[in-house]
Amino acid sequence: MKLIVLTGATRGLGRALVPRFTAAGHTVVGCGRSAAHVAELAAAFGAPHRFDPLDVTDSAAVAAWAESVLKSHGAPDLLINNAAVMAAPAPLWEVPAAAFDAVIDVNVKGVANVLRGFVPAMVARKSGVVVNLSSGWGRSVSPEVAPYCASKYAVEGLTLALAQELPRGMAAVPLNPGVIDTDMLRQAWADGASAYPKAEKWAERAAPFLLALGAEDNGRSLSVG
Protein backbone atom coordinates (compact mmCIF):
# COMPACT_ATOMS: atom_id res chain seq x y z
CA MET A 1 0.00 0.00 0.00
CA LYS A 2 1.15 3.53 -0.74
CA LEU A 3 1.55 6.66 1.37
CA ILE A 4 0.10 9.55 -0.62
CA VAL A 5 0.71 13.21 0.22
CA LEU A 6 -1.85 15.46 -1.48
CA THR A 7 -2.01 19.24 -1.39
CA GLY A 8 -5.30 20.92 -2.20
CA ALA A 9 -7.04 17.91 -0.67
CA THR A 10 -10.18 19.69 0.49
CA ARG A 11 -11.69 20.95 -2.75
CA GLY A 12 -12.24 19.98 -6.37
CA LEU A 13 -10.00 17.27 -7.76
CA GLY A 14 -8.18 16.65 -4.51
CA ARG A 15 -11.38 16.08 -2.55
CA ALA A 16 -12.58 13.64 -5.22
CA LEU A 17 -9.34 11.64 -5.08
CA VAL A 18 -9.22 11.11 -1.32
CA PRO A 19 -12.04 8.53 -1.05
CA ARG A 20 -10.74 6.69 -4.11
CA PHE A 21 -7.29 6.35 -2.58
CA THR A 22 -8.51 5.39 0.88
CA ALA A 23 -11.00 2.84 -0.48
CA ALA A 24 -8.11 1.15 -2.26
CA GLY A 25 -6.29 0.75 1.05
CA HIS A 26 -3.79 3.59 0.69
CA THR A 27 -2.93 6.14 3.38
CA VAL A 28 -3.58 9.78 2.52
CA VAL A 29 -1.95 12.77 4.17
CA GLY A 30 -3.50 15.97 2.85
CA CYS A 31 -3.72 19.68 3.41
CA GLY A 32 -5.96 22.57 2.46
CA ARG A 33 -6.36 26.26 3.19
CA SER A 34 -9.77 26.00 4.87
CA ALA A 35 -9.65 24.74 8.44
CA ALA A 36 -13.35 23.90 8.25
CA HIS A 37 -12.94 21.77 5.13
CA VAL A 38 -9.88 20.08 6.63
CA ALA A 39 -11.91 19.23 9.74
CA GLU A 40 -14.59 17.66 7.54
CA LEU A 41 -12.03 15.43 5.84
CA ALA A 42 -10.40 14.49 9.12
CA ALA A 43 -13.78 13.49 10.53
CA ALA A 44 -14.59 11.38 7.47
CA PHE A 45 -11.19 9.72 7.20
CA GLY A 46 -9.53 8.95 10.53
CA ALA A 47 -6.15 7.45 11.33
CA PRO A 48 -3.87 6.46 9.73
CA HIS A 49 -4.96 9.26 7.38
CA ARG A 50 -4.05 12.82 8.31
CA PHE A 51 -5.33 16.22 7.18
CA ASP A 52 -4.00 19.61 8.22
CA PRO A 53 -4.80 23.25 7.43
CA LEU A 54 -1.92 24.74 5.46
CA ASP A 55 -1.14 27.68 3.20
CA VAL A 56 1.35 26.34 0.67
CA THR A 57 2.65 29.87 0.02
CA ASP A 58 4.07 29.98 3.57
CA SER A 59 7.44 28.32 3.13
CA ALA A 60 8.15 28.05 6.86
CA ALA A 61 4.74 26.49 7.56
CA VAL A 62 5.19 24.02 4.69
CA ALA A 63 8.64 23.04 5.97
CA ALA A 64 7.26 22.46 9.48
CA TRP A 65 4.32 20.44 8.13
CA ALA A 66 6.58 18.30 5.95
CA GLU A 67 8.91 17.62 8.88
CA SER A 68 5.96 16.57 11.02
CA VAL A 69 4.54 14.30 8.31
CA LEU A 70 7.90 12.68 7.68
CA LYS A 71 8.18 11.91 11.40
CA SER A 72 4.65 10.53 11.71
CA HIS A 73 4.30 8.71 8.37
CA GLY A 74 7.65 8.64 6.59
CA ALA A 75 8.46 9.69 3.03
CA PRO A 76 5.58 9.55 0.54
CA ASP A 77 5.39 7.01 -2.24
CA LEU A 78 3.25 9.44 -4.25
CA LEU A 79 3.43 13.22 -3.79
CA ILE A 80 0.68 15.15 -5.60
CA ASN A 81 0.82 18.93 -5.84
CA ASN A 82 -2.78 19.87 -6.57
CA ALA A 83 -3.23 23.20 -4.74
CA ALA A 84 -3.98 25.97 -7.24
CA VAL A 85 -5.92 29.19 -7.72
CA MET A 86 -7.06 31.24 -10.70
CA ALA A 87 -7.50 34.99 -11.08
CA ALA A 88 -10.82 36.34 -12.31
CA PRO A 89 -10.77 36.16 -16.13
CA ALA A 90 -9.62 39.45 -17.65
CA PRO A 91 -7.15 40.81 -20.22
CA LEU A 92 -3.67 40.60 -18.72
CA TRP A 93 -3.30 44.37 -18.44
CA GLU A 94 -6.43 44.53 -16.32
CA VAL A 95 -5.37 41.86 -13.83
CA PRO A 96 -4.37 43.56 -10.55
CA ALA A 97 -0.81 42.93 -9.41
CA ALA A 98 -2.04 41.31 -6.19
CA ALA A 99 -4.23 38.86 -8.14
CA PHE A 100 -1.36 37.97 -10.47
CA ASP A 101 0.98 37.50 -7.51
CA ALA A 102 -1.50 35.20 -5.77
CA VAL A 103 -1.64 32.87 -8.77
CA ILE A 104 2.15 32.64 -9.01
CA ASP A 105 2.58 32.32 -5.25
CA VAL A 106 0.20 29.34 -4.96
CA ASN A 107 0.60 27.61 -8.31
CA VAL A 108 4.37 27.91 -8.69
CA LYS A 109 6.02 28.91 -5.42
CA GLY A 110 3.64 26.68 -3.46
CA VAL A 111 4.68 23.68 -5.54
CA ALA A 112 8.34 24.48 -4.96
CA ASN A 113 7.76 24.81 -1.21
CA VAL A 114 6.16 21.37 -1.02
CA LEU A 115 8.86 19.79 -3.16
CA ARG A 116 11.50 21.31 -0.93
CA GLY A 117 9.80 19.75 2.07
CA PHE A 118 9.36 16.18 0.83
CA VAL A 119 11.64 15.41 -2.11
CA PRO A 120 14.89 15.16 -0.10
CA ALA A 121 13.46 12.26 1.92
CA MET A 122 12.23 10.59 -1.26
CA VAL A 123 15.64 11.06 -2.91
CA ALA A 124 17.37 9.59 0.15
CA ARG A 125 15.17 6.51 -0.22
CA LYS A 126 15.62 6.58 -4.03
CA SER A 127 11.96 5.87 -4.71
CA GLY A 128 8.69 7.68 -5.16
CA VAL A 129 6.68 9.56 -7.74
CA VAL A 130 6.05 13.31 -7.81
CA VAL A 131 3.00 14.54 -9.73
CA ASN A 132 2.56 18.27 -10.22
CA LEU A 133 -0.86 19.19 -11.57
CA SER A 134 -0.49 21.12 -14.78
CA SER A 135 -3.30 21.96 -17.18
CA GLY A 136 -4.27 22.13 -20.82
CA TRP A 137 -3.47 25.79 -20.20
CA GLY A 138 0.06 24.74 -19.34
CA ARG A 139 0.51 23.50 -22.91
CA SER A 140 -1.74 25.89 -24.82
CA VAL A 141 -3.32 29.29 -24.16
CA SER A 142 -6.64 31.11 -24.16
CA PRO A 143 -7.47 34.79 -23.73
CA GLU A 144 -8.19 36.26 -20.30
CA VAL A 145 -6.41 33.50 -18.35
CA ALA A 146 -2.82 34.62 -18.90
CA PRO A 147 -1.73 34.42 -15.22
CA TYR A 148 -3.03 30.86 -14.93
CA CYS A 149 -1.41 29.86 -18.24
CA ALA A 150 1.88 31.37 -17.08
CA SER A 151 1.74 29.47 -13.81
CA LYS A 152 0.98 26.13 -15.42
CA TYR A 153 3.62 26.56 -18.12
CA ALA A 154 6.00 27.15 -15.19
CA VAL A 155 4.82 23.93 -13.53
CA GLU A 156 5.57 22.03 -16.75
CA GLY A 157 9.10 23.41 -16.95
CA LEU A 158 9.82 23.05 -13.25
CA THR A 159 8.67 19.43 -13.25
CA LEU A 160 10.55 18.41 -16.38
CA ALA A 161 13.74 19.96 -14.98
CA LEU A 162 13.18 18.17 -11.66
CA ALA A 163 12.81 14.90 -13.57
CA GLN A 164 16.39 15.26 -14.82
CA GLU A 165 17.67 15.79 -11.28
CA LEU A 166 16.08 12.76 -9.63
CA PRO A 167 17.98 9.49 -9.09
CA ARG A 168 17.07 6.38 -11.05
CA GLY A 169 13.99 4.74 -9.57
CA MET A 170 12.04 7.98 -9.08
CA ALA A 171 9.76 10.00 -11.33
CA ALA A 172 8.48 13.55 -11.70
CA VAL A 173 5.45 14.01 -13.93
CA PRO A 174 3.54 17.14 -14.98
CA LEU A 175 -0.07 15.98 -15.31
CA ASN A 176 -2.87 17.61 -17.26
CA PRO A 177 -6.08 16.42 -15.55
CA GLY A 178 -8.27 17.39 -18.49
CA VAL A 179 -11.31 19.67 -18.43
CA ILE A 180 -13.35 19.03 -15.28
CA ASP A 181 -16.42 20.75 -13.86
CA THR A 182 -14.92 22.36 -10.75
CA ASP A 183 -15.35 25.69 -8.98
CA MET A 184 -12.20 26.90 -10.73
CA LEU A 185 -13.52 26.06 -14.18
CA ARG A 186 -16.83 27.73 -13.36
CA GLN A 187 -14.85 30.84 -12.48
CA ALA A 188 -13.48 30.85 -16.02
CA TRP A 189 -16.41 29.52 -18.03
CA ALA A 190 -19.44 30.06 -15.77
CA ASP A 191 -22.28 27.70 -16.72
CA GLY A 192 -20.26 26.29 -19.64
CA ALA A 193 -18.34 24.20 -17.11
CA SER A 194 -21.38 21.98 -16.60
CA ALA A 195 -20.76 20.38 -20.00
CA TYR A 196 -17.71 18.61 -18.58
CA PRO A 197 -17.39 15.66 -16.16
CA LYS A 198 -17.72 16.22 -12.42
CA ALA A 199 -14.63 15.75 -10.29
CA GLU A 200 -16.01 12.56 -8.75
CA LYS A 201 -16.45 10.99 -12.19
CA TRP A 202 -12.98 12.11 -13.21
CA ALA A 203 -11.50 10.51 -10.09
CA GLU A 204 -12.77 7.09 -11.18
CA ARG A 205 -10.16 7.19 -13.98
CA ALA A 206 -7.60 9.45 -12.37
CA ALA A 207 -7.00 7.55 -9.13
CA PRO A 208 -5.88 4.27 -10.76
CA PHE A 209 -3.94 6.26 -13.37
CA LEU A 210 -2.01 8.08 -10.64
CA LEU A 211 -1.40 4.93 -8.62
CA ALA A 212 0.05 3.16 -11.67
CA LEU A 213 2.71 5.81 -12.35
CA GLY A 214 6.28 4.65 -11.88
CA ALA A 215 9.91 5.35 -12.63
CA GLU A 216 9.34 4.63 -16.32
CA ASP A 217 7.15 7.75 -16.50
CA ASN A 218 9.87 10.13 -15.33
CA GLY A 219 9.92 13.32 -17.38
CA ARG A 220 6.76 12.55 -19.37
CA SER A 221 4.11 15.24 -19.76
CA LEU A 222 0.98 13.14 -19.27
CA SER A 223 -2.78 13.63 -19.35
CA VAL A 224 -5.57 11.71 -17.64
CA GLY A 225 -7.73 9.83 -20.12
Side-chain angles (χ1 to χ4, degrees), residues 12-13 22 32 44 63 78 81 94 100 134 160 165 179 196 209 214 218 225:
L13 305 186
T22 58
L78 177 59
N81 273 299
E94 294 180 5
F100 189 97
S134 179
L160 295 177
E165 299 166 349
V179 184
Y196 295 93
F209 182 92
N218 189 39

Side-chain angles (χ1 to χ4, degrees), residues 40 94 156 205 212:
E40 290 174 4
E94 294 180 5
E156 287 276 331
R205 303 192 321 274

Side-chain angles (χ1 to χ4, degrees), residues 18-61:
V18 171
R20 292 284 170 183
F21 289 148
T22 58
H26 305 291
T27 299
V28 179
V29 173
C31 66
R33 287 176 294 171
S34 166
H37 291 144
V38 166
E40 290 174 4
L41 269 184
F45 304 95
H49 314 294
R50 171 178 169 175
F51 299 94
D52 298 289
L54 182 70
D55 179 353
V56 296
T57 70
D58 185 336
S59 60

Side-chain angles (χ1 to χ4, degrees), residues 156-168:
E156 287 276 331
L158 180 153
T159 310
L160 295 177
L162 173 65
Q164 296 186 13
E165 299 166 349
L166 296 176
R168 186 179 299 275

Side-chain angles (χ1 to χ4, degrees), residues 5 7 31 54-67 70 79 81 83 102 104-120 130 132 155 158 162:
V5 170
T7 71
C31 66
L54 182 70
D55 179 353
V56 296
T57 70
D58 185 336
S59 60
V62 172
W65 180 67
E67 181 179 6
L70 291 170
L79 172 62
N81 273 299
I104 300 302
D105 286 348
V106 174
N107 298 8
V108 183
K109 294 181 182 178
V111 169
N113 288 338
V114 174
L115 295 176
R116 198 177 297 116
F118 287 100
V119 168
V130 176
N132 296 327
V155 167
L158 180 153
L162 173 65

